[in-house]
Amino acid sequence: MEKIYQHVEDIVTVAELQDGFYEVEVTVLVRRSGGSESDFIRMQLESYDGEKKCRQLTVKGCRDSAMQWF
C-alpha cells in the first residue's frame, strides 16, 4: 500500500503545480481477497484565496464486503 500512497501524493503534487490550481481530490479503492477486504484512500488538497492550503488524507481498511462508508 505504501507505493499506492506515494502515487496518490504524486498526483496531488502535480495537480497543485497546474496554472490556476484550486482543488484536487484523488480516491482509490483497492479490493482484495475476492472482495472481502478493501483499502480506501482519499487525498484532497484545496487552495483558499489562492494562498492557504488544506490537505486532508483519509485511509480506511475494511474486512467486510458490506462496507458502510458511503
Side-chain angles (χ1 to χ4, degrees):
M1 290 301 294
E2 189 62 37
K3 286 186 179 184
I4 294 174
Y5 298 144
Q6 185 58 54
H7 286 301
V8 170
E9 180 71 33
D10 291 346
I11 291 168
V12 170
T13 299
V14 170
E16 182 181 17
L17 297 174
Q18 302 304 302
D19 288 337
F21 170 79
Y22 180 75
E23 179 180 18
V24 61
E25 179 179 335
V26 178
T27 304
V28 178
L29 177 64
V30 178
R31 296 188 138 226
R32 296 175 280 110
S33 300
S36 64
E37 295 180 13
S38 300
D39 291 302
F40 174 80
I41 302 163
R42 176 181 175 266
M43 182 173 279
Q44 181 178 16
L45 178 64
E46 297 178 55
S47 174
Y48 297 102
D49 300 326
E51 296 298 324
K52 297 178 186 175
K53 294 190 172 65
C54 177
R55 185 178 297 252
Q56 178 182 355
L57 173 64
T58 304
V59 178
K60 295 184 181 181
C62 185
R63 292 191 180 267
D64 180 5
S65 60
M67 292 181 288
Q68 300 291 320
W69 302 340
F70 305 102

